[in-house]
């Protein structure tokens, strides 16, 4: 490898950068008159905490849906990183986050798409939300990636249509809410 090709690819040993993210899904029951195979409208998504822009470090987000969806694989190269569909059953969505620095391996997340409220709760017009806080942890990032991470997000996105159901900085499922305190990108050097 030539010196110029290797420039920026050097690993910064002892450096850890943490980027908070939220992944989840929201679904709406379409009512008793809906088609048998389309009882719910749902959206699966990945976003920065408090709707922070992730595009400064994320190249693309790949959603692998149940095999009954065509196309099964959805790749989004710009925000919002979300897929909206309709269906009748719950399944696991495989989410793969690819980074702008191709040296970094993609991160894979498995998210259970929830359509139905917790056991014993009747179907209603209220959405079912399954949202989880997570962190992208970059241990010994390359110089190039570190520059991107240090620059951080350039902006917040406008609030999602679903914001009234899932508050920014909060993870929730149905009526249960777990508070998550806002976290900035965290950098530590040993």
């Amino acid at each position: 490898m030539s010196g110029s090709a290797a420039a920026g690819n050097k690993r910064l040993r002892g450096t850890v950068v943490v980027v908070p993210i939220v992944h989840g899904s929201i679904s709406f029951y379409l009512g008793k008159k809906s088609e048998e195979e389309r009882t719910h409208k749902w959206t699966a998504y990945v976003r920065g905490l408090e709707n922070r822009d992730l595009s400064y470090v994320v190249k693309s987000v790949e959603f692998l849906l149940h095999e009954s969806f065509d196309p099964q694989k959805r790749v989004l190269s710009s925000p919002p990183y979300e897929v909206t569909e309709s269906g009748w059953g719950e399944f696991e969505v495989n989410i793969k986050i690819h980074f702008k620095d191709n040296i970094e391996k993609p991160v894979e997340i498995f998210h259970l798409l929830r359509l139905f409220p917790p056991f014993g709760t009747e179907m209603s017009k209220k959405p079912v939300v399954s949202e989880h806080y997570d962190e992208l942890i970059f241990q010994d990032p390359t110089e190039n990636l570190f520059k991107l991470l240090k620059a951080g997000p350039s902006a917040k996105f406008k609030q999602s249509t679903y914001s009234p159901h899932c508050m920014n900085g909060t993870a929730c499922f149905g009526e249960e809410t777990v508070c998550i305190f806002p976290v900035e990108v965290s950098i530590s050097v040993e």
Side-chain angles (χ1 to χ4, degrees):
M1 182 180 299
S2 71
S4 61
N9 290 339
K10 181 182 170 208
R11 294 261 177 205
L12 299 175
R13 302 284 176 218
T15 302
V16 177
V17 182
V18 178
V19 178
I21 65 168
V22 176
H23 60 89
S25 59
I26 184 167
S27 66
F28 296 89
Y29 178 55
L30 298 175
K32 294 179 180 177
K33 295 183 181 179
S34 63
E35 295 176 37
E36 191 174 309
E37 292 186 7
R38 305 243 181 259
T39 59
H40 292 77
K41 179 179 177 184
W42 56 263
T43 299
Y45 53 87
V46 172
R47 61 179 171 78
L49 188 65
E50 295 184 316
N51 278 337
R52 281 192 168 76
D53 179 14
L54 293 174
S55 65
Y56 70 101
V57 71
V58 171
K59 180 180 179 181
S60 65
V61 177
E62 180 181 308
F63 292 85
L64 187 63
L65 307 179
H66 186 270
E67 62 192 25
S68 61
F69 289 92
D70 187 27
Q72 182 181 13
K73 184 199 268 186
R74 315 286 172 90
V75 180
L76 302 162
S77 54
S78 63
Y81 304 111
E82 59 183 43
V83 173
T84 300
E85 275 288 352
S86 59
W88 58 268
E90 298 180 337
F91 62 93
E92 195 169 71
V93 179
N94 181 334
I95 302 169
K96 194 181 281 189
I97 302 171
H98 298 267
F99 303 105
K100 288 196 173 181
D101 185 341
N102 291 329
I103 293 174
E104 292 297 325
K105 293 180 181 175
V107 168
E108 209 164 355
I109 300 168
F110 298 93
H111 175 76
L112 178 61
L113 174 72
R114 309 283 279 173
L115 301 182
F116 305 100
F119 183 71
T121 308
E122 286 191 38
M123 296 298 292
S124 72
K125 293 287 182 186
K126 289 182 181 180
V128 173
V129 180
S130 176
E131 188 171 79
H132 306 277
Y133 171 86
D134 211 336
E135 294 176 338
L136 300 174
I137 300 174
F138 299 95
Q139 178 99 28
D140 303 331
T142 63
E143 291 172 335
N144 288 336
L145 181 61
F146 185 74
K147 285 178 188 173
L148 294 172
L149 292 165
K150 194 173 176 187
S154 59
K156 279 188 183 179
F157 287 101
K158 65 179 185 173
Q159 286 198 344
S160 161
T161 326
Y162 307 120
S163 291
H165 306 292
C166 260
M167 299 180 305
N168 293 322
T170 302
C172 53
F173 176 79
E175 297 299 312
E176 300 171 19
T177 302
V178 179
C179 189
I180 294 171
F181 299 101
V183 179
E184 297 295 324
V185 172
S186 167
I187 301 173
S188 68
V189 181
E190 296 174 354

